[in-house]
Amino acid sequence: MTTSDTNSFQIVTNQKRSPARKRNRNRRPRKNSSGDLSIESDSSGSSGGRSQASSCSLKGRNENRKGHPEIPQEEKSRYVALDCEMVGVGENGIQSAVARVTIVDWDGNIVFDRYVKPDREITDYRTFVSGITANDYTHHDAIDLESCRKLVLDHLEGKILVGHALKNDLHALGIRHDWQATRDTAKYEPFMKTRFDDGVLWPRRLRDLASEKLSREIQVPGAPHSPYEDAMAAMDLYKTARSKWEKVMDYKIKKTAEIQQQRQVLLVASAAA
Protein backbone atom coordinates (compact mmCIF):
# COMPACT_ATOMS: atom_id res chain seq x y z
CA MET A 1 0.00 0.00 0.00
CA THR A 2 1.25 3.50 -0.70
CA THR A 3 1.63 6.15 1.95
CA SER A 4 2.03 9.92 1.87
CA ASP A 5 5.32 11.53 2.80
CA THR A 6 4.70 15.09 3.93
CA ASN A 7 8.35 16.09 3.72
CA SER A 8 9.10 14.95 0.21
CA PHE A 9 5.55 14.76 -1.18
CA GLN A 10 6.31 11.32 -2.53
CA ILE A 11 4.27 8.12 -2.57
CA VAL A 12 5.79 4.70 -1.95
CA THR A 13 5.26 2.34 -4.83
CA ASN A 14 5.07 -1.39 -5.32
CA GLN A 15 7.49 -3.33 -7.45
CA LYS A 16 7.06 -3.49 -11.22
CA ARG A 17 5.37 -6.54 -12.61
CA SER A 18 4.48 -8.19 -15.88
CA PRO A 19 6.80 -9.46 -18.58
CA ALA A 20 7.61 -8.07 -22.11
CA ARG A 21 8.16 -9.36 -25.62
CA LYS A 22 9.83 -12.57 -26.74
CA ARG A 23 13.54 -12.65 -27.38
CA ASN A 24 15.27 -13.37 -30.63
CA ARG A 25 18.20 -15.63 -29.87
CA ASN A 26 19.82 -14.59 -33.20
CA ARG A 27 20.66 -11.10 -31.97
CA ARG A 28 24.33 -10.13 -32.00
CA PRO A 29 25.59 -7.94 -29.16
CA ARG A 30 28.16 -5.29 -29.88
CA LYS A 31 29.74 -2.41 -27.96
CA ASN A 32 29.51 1.22 -28.83
CA SER A 33 32.31 3.73 -28.44
CA SER A 34 31.72 4.06 -24.70
CA GLY A 35 31.87 0.32 -24.11
CA ASP A 36 28.14 -0.04 -23.48
CA LEU A 37 26.13 -2.78 -25.12
CA SER A 38 23.73 -2.43 -28.02
CA ILE A 39 21.94 -4.98 -30.17
CA GLU A 40 22.31 -5.70 -33.85
CA SER A 41 19.43 -7.34 -35.70
CA ASP A 42 19.88 -10.61 -37.55
CA SER A 43 20.09 -10.98 -41.33
CA SER A 44 16.31 -10.94 -41.66
CA GLY A 45 16.17 -7.50 -40.12
CA SER A 46 14.30 -8.63 -37.02
CA SER A 47 15.36 -7.74 -33.51
CA GLY A 48 14.97 -9.42 -30.13
CA GLY A 49 12.52 -8.69 -27.34
CA ARG A 50 15.32 -6.98 -25.46
CA SER A 51 16.28 -4.91 -28.51
CA GLN A 52 17.05 -1.30 -27.69
CA ALA A 53 15.27 0.21 -30.67
CA SER A 54 12.32 -1.77 -32.00
CA SER A 55 10.27 -0.29 -34.81
CA CYS A 56 7.09 -0.37 -32.74
CA SER A 57 8.61 1.62 -29.87
CA LEU A 58 10.09 4.19 -32.25
CA LYS A 59 6.75 4.57 -33.96
CA GLY A 60 5.04 4.98 -30.61
CA ARG A 61 7.45 7.74 -29.64
CA ASN A 62 6.86 9.67 -32.88
CA GLU A 63 3.12 9.40 -32.50
CA ASN A 64 3.34 10.55 -28.90
CA ARG A 65 5.17 13.73 -29.84
CA LYS A 66 2.26 14.98 -31.95
CA GLY A 67 0.50 17.81 -30.24
CA HIS A 68 3.33 18.34 -27.73
CA PRO A 69 5.61 21.33 -28.25
CA GLU A 70 9.25 20.57 -28.99
CA ILE A 71 11.65 21.75 -26.32
CA PRO A 72 15.18 23.12 -26.83
CA GLN A 73 18.02 20.62 -27.03
CA GLU A 74 19.58 22.14 -23.94
CA GLU A 75 16.40 21.35 -22.00
CA LYS A 76 16.24 17.82 -23.44
CA SER A 77 19.77 17.18 -22.22
CA ARG A 78 18.59 17.53 -18.62
CA TYR A 79 16.55 14.31 -18.78
CA VAL A 80 17.44 10.62 -18.69
CA ALA A 81 15.29 7.55 -18.06
CA LEU A 82 16.47 4.41 -16.26
CA ASP A 83 15.27 0.84 -16.00
CA CYS A 84 16.85 -2.21 -14.34
CA GLU A 85 16.33 -5.93 -14.74
CA MET A 86 16.65 -8.10 -11.67
CA VAL A 87 17.72 -11.66 -10.90
CA GLY A 88 17.14 -13.65 -7.72
CA VAL A 89 19.82 -14.28 -5.10
CA GLY A 90 19.81 -16.09 -1.79
CA GLU A 91 17.67 -19.06 -0.85
CA ASN A 92 15.10 -19.83 -3.57
CA GLY A 93 16.08 -16.62 -5.35
CA ILE A 94 13.63 -14.56 -3.32
CA GLN A 95 15.91 -11.55 -2.87
CA SER A 96 16.45 -9.26 -5.86
CA ALA A 97 19.78 -8.11 -7.28
CA VAL A 98 20.33 -5.82 -10.23
CA ALA A 99 21.60 -7.67 -13.29
CA ARG A 100 21.21 -5.15 -16.09
CA VAL A 101 20.94 -1.36 -16.17
CA THR A 102 19.77 0.69 -19.14
CA ILE A 103 19.71 4.49 -19.36
CA VAL A 104 18.31 6.43 -22.31
CA ASP A 105 18.10 10.13 -23.11
CA TRP A 106 15.11 12.25 -24.13
CA ASP A 107 15.27 11.14 -27.76
CA GLY A 108 15.72 7.44 -27.03
CA ASN A 109 19.46 7.22 -27.51
CA ILE A 110 21.17 4.69 -25.26
CA VAL A 111 23.65 6.38 -22.94
CA PHE A 112 24.34 3.34 -20.75
CA ASP A 113 23.51 -0.36 -21.00
CA ARG A 114 25.51 -2.91 -19.02
CA TYR A 115 25.10 -6.33 -17.46
CA VAL A 116 25.96 -6.45 -13.77
CA LYS A 117 27.46 -9.28 -11.73
CA PRO A 118 25.61 -9.44 -8.40
CA ASP A 119 27.70 -9.60 -5.23
CA ARG A 120 25.97 -12.89 -4.36
CA GLU A 121 25.41 -16.11 -6.27
CA ILE A 122 22.49 -15.98 -8.67
CA THR A 123 19.99 -18.65 -7.67
CA ASP A 124 17.18 -17.63 -10.03
CA TYR A 125 17.79 -15.83 -13.31
CA ARG A 126 14.06 -15.03 -13.59
CA THR A 127 14.48 -15.42 -17.33
CA PHE A 128 10.75 -15.43 -17.98
CA VAL A 129 10.66 -11.78 -16.85
CA SER A 130 14.25 -10.50 -16.97
CA GLY A 131 15.23 -12.26 -20.20
CA ILE A 132 18.62 -12.89 -18.61
CA THR A 133 20.37 -16.26 -18.75
CA ALA A 134 23.73 -17.61 -17.63
CA ASN A 135 24.93 -17.27 -21.24
CA ASP A 136 24.53 -13.50 -21.07
CA TYR A 137 27.32 -13.37 -18.51
CA THR A 138 29.48 -15.45 -20.83
CA HIS A 139 28.93 -13.37 -23.97
CA HIS A 140 28.72 -9.90 -22.43
CA ASP A 141 31.32 -7.96 -20.50
CA ALA A 142 29.51 -7.76 -17.16
CA ILE A 143 30.76 -5.37 -14.50
CA ASP A 144 30.57 -5.59 -10.73
CA LEU A 145 27.92 -3.70 -8.79
CA GLU A 146 30.28 -1.10 -7.35
CA SER A 147 31.64 -0.20 -10.79
CA CYS A 148 28.10 -0.03 -12.14
CA ARG A 149 27.01 2.21 -9.28
CA LYS A 150 29.80 4.70 -9.97
CA LEU A 151 29.06 4.80 -13.69
CA VAL A 152 25.33 5.25 -13.14
CA LEU A 153 25.95 8.06 -10.66
CA ASP A 154 28.10 9.80 -13.27
CA HIS A 155 25.27 9.59 -15.80
CA LEU A 156 22.69 10.84 -13.29
CA GLU A 157 24.69 13.78 -11.99
CA GLY A 158 22.80 17.02 -12.65
CA LYS A 159 20.01 15.15 -14.47
CA ILE A 160 16.28 14.85 -13.99
CA LEU A 161 15.69 11.11 -13.65
CA VAL A 162 12.59 9.55 -15.20
CA GLY A 163 11.39 6.00 -14.63
CA HIS A 164 8.67 3.75 -13.27
CA ALA A 165 8.81 2.58 -9.65
CA LEU A 166 12.29 4.02 -9.40
CA LYS A 167 12.47 3.23 -5.70
CA ASN A 168 13.07 -0.43 -6.56
CA ASP A 169 15.78 0.27 -9.14
CA LEU A 170 17.63 2.82 -7.02
CA HIS A 171 17.47 0.56 -3.97
CA ALA A 172 18.94 -2.35 -5.93
CA LEU A 173 21.72 -0.08 -7.18
CA GLY A 174 22.35 1.30 -3.72
CA ILE A 175 22.04 4.93 -4.79
CA ARG A 176 19.79 7.89 -4.07
CA HIS A 177 18.53 10.70 -6.27
CA ASP A 178 16.99 13.94 -5.01
CA TRP A 179 13.20 13.83 -5.13
CA GLN A 180 13.21 17.31 -6.68
CA ALA A 181 15.03 15.83 -9.70
CA THR A 182 12.99 12.62 -9.92
CA ARG A 183 9.95 12.01 -12.13
CA ASP A 184 8.44 8.64 -11.29
CA THR A 185 5.47 7.64 -13.44
CA ALA A 186 4.35 5.23 -10.72
CA LYS A 187 4.03 8.13 -8.27
CA TYR A 188 2.52 10.84 -10.46
CA GLU A 189 -1.01 11.15 -9.08
CA PRO A 190 -2.85 11.63 -12.42
CA PHE A 191 -1.32 8.31 -13.52
CA MET A 192 -2.47 6.51 -10.36
CA LYS A 193 -5.84 5.07 -9.39
CA THR A 194 -7.91 4.21 -6.35
CA ARG A 195 -8.67 0.55 -5.74
CA PHE A 196 -11.04 0.84 -2.83
CA ASP A 197 -13.46 3.35 -1.32
CA ASP A 198 -10.81 4.80 1.00
CA GLY A 199 -9.51 7.18 -1.66
CA VAL A 200 -5.93 5.91 -1.39
CA LEU A 201 -4.04 6.18 -4.66
CA TRP A 202 -2.20 3.12 -5.98
CA PRO A 203 0.43 2.98 -8.75
CA ARG A 204 -0.57 1.43 -12.06
CA ARG A 205 1.43 -0.99 -14.15
CA LEU A 206 3.72 0.56 -16.71
CA ARG A 207 2.23 -1.78 -19.29
CA ASP A 208 -1.28 -0.44 -18.68
CA LEU A 209 -0.19 3.19 -18.74
CA ALA A 210 1.71 2.68 -22.00
CA SER A 211 -1.29 1.01 -23.59
CA GLU A 212 -3.75 3.67 -22.45
CA LYS A 213 -1.73 6.84 -22.94
CA LEU A 214 0.80 5.92 -25.63
CA SER A 215 -1.13 3.26 -27.57
CA ARG A 216 1.97 1.14 -27.19
CA GLU A 217 2.26 -2.54 -26.35
CA ILE A 218 5.05 -3.44 -23.93
CA GLN A 219 5.63 -6.21 -21.38
CA VAL A 220 3.53 -8.74 -23.27
CA PRO A 221 2.48 -11.51 -20.84
CA GLY A 222 4.65 -14.60 -21.19
CA ALA A 223 7.69 -12.79 -22.61
CA PRO A 224 10.66 -11.07 -20.91
CA HIS A 225 11.00 -7.34 -20.30
CA SER A 226 12.95 -5.01 -22.52
CA PRO A 227 14.73 -2.46 -20.29
CA TYR A 228 15.04 -0.12 -23.27
CA GLU A 229 11.31 -0.21 -24.00
CA ASP A 230 10.41 0.21 -20.32
CA ALA A 231 12.72 3.20 -19.91
CA MET A 232 11.39 4.84 -23.07
CA ALA A 233 7.78 4.17 -22.07
CA ALA A 234 8.39 6.02 -18.81
CA MET A 235 10.10 8.89 -20.65
CA ASP A 236 7.29 9.19 -23.17
CA LEU A 237 4.65 9.07 -20.43
CA TYR A 238 6.45 11.95 -18.76
CA LYS A 239 6.40 13.89 -22.03
CA THR A 240 2.62 13.63 -22.23
CA ALA A 241 2.25 15.28 -18.82
CA ARG A 242 5.39 17.40 -18.64
CA SER A 243 3.73 20.83 -18.56
CA LYS A 244 1.32 20.05 -15.72
CA TRP A 245 3.84 17.83 -13.94
CA GLU A 246 6.45 20.57 -13.79
CA LYS A 247 3.92 23.05 -12.41
CA VAL A 248 3.16 20.58 -9.62
CA MET A 249 6.86 20.06 -8.95
CA ASP A 250 7.51 23.81 -8.87
CA TYR A 251 4.75 24.17 -6.26
CA LYS A 252 6.05 21.29 -4.14
CA ILE A 253 9.64 22.51 -4.27
CA LYS A 254 8.54 26.03 -3.33
CA LYS A 255 6.38 24.82 -0.43
CA THR A 256 9.15 22.56 0.83
CA ALA A 257 11.57 25.49 0.81
CA GLU A 258 9.05 27.60 2.74
CA ILE A 259 8.54 24.88 5.35
CA GLN A 260 12.28 24.41 5.77
CA GLN A 261 12.75 28.16 6.16
CA GLN A 262 10.00 28.32 8.78
CA ARG A 263 11.63 25.48 10.71
CA GLN A 264 14.97 27.25 10.57
CA VAL A 265 13.40 30.43 11.96
CA LEU A 266 11.82 28.46 14.80
CA LEU A 267 15.13 26.75 15.58
CA VAL A 268 16.96 30.07 15.71
CA ALA A 269 14.24 31.58 17.90
CA SER A 270 14.29 28.55 20.19
CA ALA A 271 18.08 28.68 20.51
CA ALA A 272 17.97 32.40 21.33
CA ALA A 273 15.28 32.00 24.00
Side-chain angles (χ1 to χ4, degrees):
M1 181 177 295
T2 59
T3 57
S4 175
D5 186 332
T6 58
N7 290 325
S8 63
F9 299 90
Q10 298 185 56
I11 301 175
V12 179
T13 63
N14 296 326
Q15 290 189 350
K16 297 176 281 185
R17 297 175 292 177
S18 303
R21 299 182 307 165
K22 293 184 177 179
R23 307 173 63 192
N24 185 334
R25 301 303 294 183
N26 294 322
R27 72 193 193 289
R28 297 190 298 274
R30 58 183 173 81
K31 290 185 179 180
N32 58 27
S33 58
S34 64
D36 298 334
L37 294 173
S38 59
I39 301 295
E40 294 180 344
S41 59
D42 60 20
S43 58
S44 65
S46 62
S47 57
R50 296 156 66 204
S51 167
Q52 276 80 1
S54 69
S55 60
C56 68
S57 64
L58 291 173
K59 178 181 178 183
R61 292 207 307 281
N62 292 331
E63 291 174 350
N64 182 44
R65 288 172 182 161
K66 294 181 180 180
H68 300 287
E70 192 73 11
I71 66 174
Q73 189 61 42
E74 183 178 356
E75 180 69 11
K76 290 181 180 180
S77 67
R78 298 176 60 206
Y79 296 90
V80 293
L82 175 146
D83 187 77
C84 296
E85 294 301 333
M86 310 289 179
V87 292
V89 297
E91 186 176 359
N92 298 320
I94 296 177
Q95 297 179 339
S96 294
V98 64
R100 186 179 182 184
V101 183
T102 302
I103 302 175
V104 299
D105 66 12
W106 178 276
D107 292 318
N109 301 305
I110 301 167
V111 298
F112 183 82
D113 186 20
R114 298 296 295 267
Y115 285 87
V116 183
K117 295 178 181 178
D119 294 335
R120 302 168 62 185
E121 180 184 1
I122 299 175
T123 51
D124 184 356
Y125 283 92
R126 302 179 183 176
T127 306
F128 70 102
V129 172
S130 70
I132 295 173
T133 68
N135 287 335
D136 287 319
Y137 287 96
T138 301
H139 295 98
H140 299 304
D141 185 18
I143 58 178
D144 61 81
L145 180 59
E146 183 59 28
S147 298
C148 178
R149 183 183 296 118
K150 291 178 180 178
L151 292 170
V152 170
L153 284 171
D154 287 342
H155 284 294
L156 299 188
E157 184 176 2
K159 302 293 186 179
I160 294 177
L161 176 61
V162 181
H164 190 80
L166 282 167
K167 177 182 178 181
N168 302 321
D169 293 334
L170 296 179
H171 176 75
L173 286 166
I175 63 178
R176 300 184 65 178
H177 199 69
D178 289 342
W179 69 267
Q180 296 95 330
T182 300
R183 306 293 184 266
D184 194 331
T185 54
K187 294 181 177 181
Y188 183 53
E189 291 189 10
F191 288 167
M192 302 174 76
K193 66 177 180 180
T194 56
R195 293 184 180 179
F196 309 104
D197 295 332
D198 56 8
V200 175
L201 289 171
W202 290 70
R204 299 178 62 190
R205 294 179 179 179
L206 181 61
R207 179 184 68 190
D208 296 338
L209 288 171
S211 176
E212 177 184 312
K213 300 186 179 297
L214 304 176
S215 299
R216 186 183 307 172
E217 186 180 29
I218 64 170
Q219 299 182 353
V220 178
H225 288 194
S226 162
Y228 173 84
E229 288 186 349
D230 290 354
M232 276 315 304
M235 179 69 85
D236 288 339
L237 284 167
Y238 168 74
K239 293 177 186 178
T240 68
R242 179 175 177 270
S243 179
K244 293 182 178 179
W245 198 329
E246 289 308 312
K247 289 179 181 178
V248 172
M249 291 302 298
D250 288 343
Y251 172 78
K252 291 180 176 181
I253 292 171
K254 180 180 178 180
K255 292 299 294 184
T256 298
E258 290 176 356
I259 292 171
Q260 291 174 342
Q261 185 177 15
Q262 291 171 1
R263 288 178 176 174
Q264 185 64 29
V265 170
L266 291 174
L267 286 173
V268 172
S270 176

